[in-house]
């Protein structure tokens, strides 16, 4: 880090599920920073799982000094979960946050007295001495109270959850995008418009370093890559030309049809085909792939007059995350009364700007030679 900005965050290698729903095979980190100047600012706290370690990191980095400010950019507990402990140890530090964040603070902990506090909004600044903190509103990335902070003297943006990723900080490899993409679409994906707005504000700043609340600090090539990808993701653009074939198969027959369709797509020249098993693969990874590519085929068994639940969950999550601007094909399987196609279509039709390839392909119990022409037609429609 820079000489006067110290990293005081914590790795959490033992975390099983982030937000109780996303697997974290490489763990997670909760970033926090200390800006040392005539006055000292702490940038965010950490998850309560790591309070003691964070306070130790903070104490060591302070070298006997006392913090003047704790800037709270985001109130989700993975960053605000140690505020009360901080307040007990440093009762004179001013807690700086948006008005909304200060009210949420009391909702999470009505017993702690957080004063002194300072409410800040877009355009407000605090001088630390040689350095300045400029506050920028970033509502709905991905909570309403979020601010990000720019330090012009250090050309550094403290970006809250934006530009974050899954994984402990020291497990970072050259592949920032994979876990950043899974993080982005599953956590921030619904909020493409606010992300695009923040990118426009950031474009007016001279930024050489991004310090997010998760994942590595970004500079140079990685910073450029991250901004380029965020501009695609925030606009629901296409990162990779390709087809995701996602299947939810009870006994394996729908899966066989999905695999045959994938084979036909490849034979017909699809640039990239990815097959996902919604019953077994990490759903968050499949959501990421759906947003990454421009075409999707959903293949599912019928179930209780509806669609097999893993597919229902997948499509419901896509809709929740504002999946849009894509081409979608539908394949259903049913033994006596196929219902999956109608159920899938009902969710897909609620999505914005999707092109459904007609007709829905229906197979009965298992794929047969007589079904192949219908798969060929679906593949042609997807690739058209
Ligand atoms: Fe990393 Fe939205 O909390």
């Amino acid at each position: 880090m820079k000489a006067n900005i110290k990293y005081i965050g914590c790795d959490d290698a033992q975390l099983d599920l982030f937000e109780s729903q996303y697997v974290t095979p490489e763990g997670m980190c909760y970033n926090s920073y200390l800006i040392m100047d005539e006055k000292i600012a702490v940038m965010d706290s950490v998850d309560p799982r790591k309070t003691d370690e964070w306070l130790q990191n903070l104490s060591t980095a302070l070298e006997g000094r006392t913090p003047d400010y704790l800037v709270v950019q985001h109130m989700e507990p993975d960053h605000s979960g140690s505020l009360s402990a901080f307040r007990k140890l440093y009762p004179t530090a001013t807690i700086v946050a948006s008005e909304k964040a200060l009210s949420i603070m009391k909702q999470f902990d009505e017993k702690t007295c957080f004063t002194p506090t300072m409410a800040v909004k877009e355009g407000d600044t605090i001088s630390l001495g040689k350095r300045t903190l400029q506050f920028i509103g970033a509502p709905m990335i991905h909570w309403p109270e979020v601010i990000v902070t720019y330090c012009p003297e250090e050309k550094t943006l403290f970006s809250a959850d934006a530009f974050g990723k899954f994984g402990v900080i020291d497990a970072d490899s050259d592949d920032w995008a994979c876990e950043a993409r899974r993080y982005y679409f599953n956590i921030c994906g619904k909020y493409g418009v606010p992300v695009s707005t923040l990118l426009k504000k950031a474009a007016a700043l001279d930024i050489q370093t991004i310090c997010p609340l998760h994942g590595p600090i970004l500079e140079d090539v990685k910073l450029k890559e991250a901004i380029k990808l965020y501009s695609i993701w925030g606009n629901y653009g296409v990162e990779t030309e390709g087809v995701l074939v996602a299947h939810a198969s009870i006994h394996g027959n729908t899966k066989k049809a999905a695999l045959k369709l994938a084979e036909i797509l490849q034979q017909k020249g699809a640039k990239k085909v990815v097959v996902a098993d919604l019953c077994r693969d990490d759903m968050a990874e499949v959501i990421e792939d759906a947003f990454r590519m421009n075409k999707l085929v959903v293949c599912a068994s019928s179930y209780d007059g509806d669609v097999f639940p893993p597919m229902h969950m997948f499509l419901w999550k896509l809709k929740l995350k504002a999946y849009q601007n894509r081409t979608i094909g539908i394949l259903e399987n049913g033994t006596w009364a196929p219902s999956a196609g109608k159920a899938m279509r009902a969710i897909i039709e609620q999505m914005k700007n999707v092109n459904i390839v007609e007709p829905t392909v229906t197979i009965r119990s298992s794929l047969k030679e007589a079904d192949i022409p219908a798969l060929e037609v679906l593949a042609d429609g997807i690739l058209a």
Side-chain angles (χ1 to χ4, degrees):
M1 287 239 51
K2 297 172 190 248
N4 293 291
I5 302 178
K6 298 182 181 181
Y7 180 79
I8 56 168
C10 303
D11 280 340
D12 190 352
Q14 305 307 319
L15 184 68
D16 58 342
L17 292 173
F18 182 66
E19 293 187 354
S20 299
Q21 59 173 328
Y22 303 116
V23 294
T24 48
E26 294 178 357
M28 197 66 192
C29 61
Y30 318 112
N31 295 345
S32 171
Y33 307 88
L34 191 65
I35 307 174
M36 305 289 278
D37 203 320
E38 290 161 28
K39 293 192 171 175
I40 296 178
V42 182
M43 303 302 292
D44 292 290
S45 79
V46 299
D47 191 280
R49 290 166 57 89
K50 292 288 169 182
T51 300
D52 292 346
E53 184 182 324
W54 175 66
L55 289 174
Q56 184 57 56
N57 291 350
L58 173 58
S59 172
T60 303
L62 282 167
E63 296 175 341
R65 295 177 67 188
T66 302
D68 297 278
Y69 300 105
L70 170 60
V71 179
V72 177
Q73 300 185 111
H74 180 22
M75 270 305 297
E76 195 161 12
D78 52 326
H79 310 296
S80 69
S82 303
L83 293 185
S84 304
F86 175 91
R87 171 48 83 220
K88 284 191 188 79
L89 272 182
Y90 302 104
T92 59
T94 299
I95 294 182
V96 179
S98 67
E99 195 83 62
K100 185 85 180 165
L102 291 173
S103 76
I104 292 175
M105 215 170 282
K106 290 180 203 137
Q107 287 176 205
F108 274 109
D109 181 357
E110 63 177 2
K111 290 186 181 150
T112 297
C113 174
F114 289 106
T115 51
T117 60
M118 180 191 298
V120 291
K121 58 185 184 315
E122 172 105 13
D124 287 349
T125 60
I126 291 176
S127 173
L128 300 177
K130 293 188 178 68
R131 291 163 193 80
T132 314
L133 301 181
Q134 296 179 356
F135 300 105
I136 300 164
M140 299 321 299
I141 308 174
H142 55 119
W143 278 25
E145 85 297 359
V146 174
I147 53 169
V148 299
T149 309
Y150 179 61
C151 178
E153 296 83 3
E154 299 284 358
K155 299 185 185 348
T156 296
L157 179 71
F158 297 88
S159 62
D161 269 344
F163 302 102
K165 72 186 273 290
F166 296 115
V168 296
I169 201 159
D170 57 7
D172 177 45
S173 67
D174 286 338
D175 189 4
W176 176 84
C178 182
E179 284 295 73
R181 188 190 297 105
R182 187 167 72 97
Y183 176 91
Y184 175 85
F185 283 115
N186 286 280
I187 292 172
C188 305
K190 182 179 173 70
Y191 303 108
V193 172
V195 167
S196 297
T197 301
L198 178 61
L199 287 176
K200 280 185 197 133
K201 292 178 185 176
L205 305 171
D206 181 5
I207 299 170
Q208 291 183 357
T209 306
I210 291 179
C211 294
L213 287 178
H214 302 288
I217 291 143
L218 300 168
E219 295 183 306
D220 305 320
V221 177
K222 284 187 179 174
L223 186 150
K224 285 197 182 92
E225 181 200 12
I227 290 183
K228 182 178 153 203
L229 288 174
Y230 258 61
S231 66
I232 296 171
W233 299 346
N235 284 303
Y236 303 97
V238 176
E239 184 184 340
T240 304
E241 292 274 341
V243 188
L244 170 65
V245 179
H247 62 78
S249 182
I250 303 172
H251 297 293
N253 288 303
T254 307
K255 176 181 178 179
K256 282 181 188 160
L259 291 174
K260 184 65 183 174
L261 176 67
E263 184 187 313
I264 293 169
L265 284 163
Q266 277 161 338
Q267 285 166 354
K268 287 180 179 288
K271 284 187 182 158
K272 184 179 179 74
V273 180
V274 173
V275 178
D277 180 346
L278 295 172
C279 304
R280 291 169 182 81
D281 294 341
D282 170 24
M283 183 74 80
E285 190 85 33
V286 189
I287 295 280
E288 168 196 343
D289 274 338
F291 278 97
R292 181 159 63 97
M293 290 182 274
N294 56 330
K295 302 189 176 185
L296 167 68
V297 183
V298 285
C299 312
S301 313
S302 300
Y303 191 89
D304 285 348
D306 204 292
V307 63
F308 190 35
M311 177 59 79
H312 179 92
M313 176 63 80
F314 174 61
L315 288 172
W316 179 81
K317 284 193 171 187
L318 281 182
K319 181 171 79 71
L320 191 69
K321 301 297 175 185
Y323 183 78
Q324 55 188 268
N325 304 340
R326 297 295 190 271
T327 294
I328 305 179
I330 301 171
L331 184 153
E332 66 175 352
N333 188 4
T335 294
W336 66 93
S339 54
K342 185 178 171 194
M344 289 189 281
R345 182 180 294 267
I347 304 173
I348 292 166
E349 284 179 344
Q350 297 173 52
M351 297 172 182
K352 189 175 161 190
N353 194 25
V354 291
N355 167 35
I356 299 178
V357 175
E358 304 291 359
T360 292
V361 173
T362 301
I363 63 168
R364 293 282 187 159
S365 305
S366 67
L367 185 70
K368 302 165 193 71
E369 275 306 310
D371 296 317
I372 302 300
L375 294 188
E376 300 265 359
V377 170
L378 177 58
D380 287 340
I382 285 287
L383 297 176

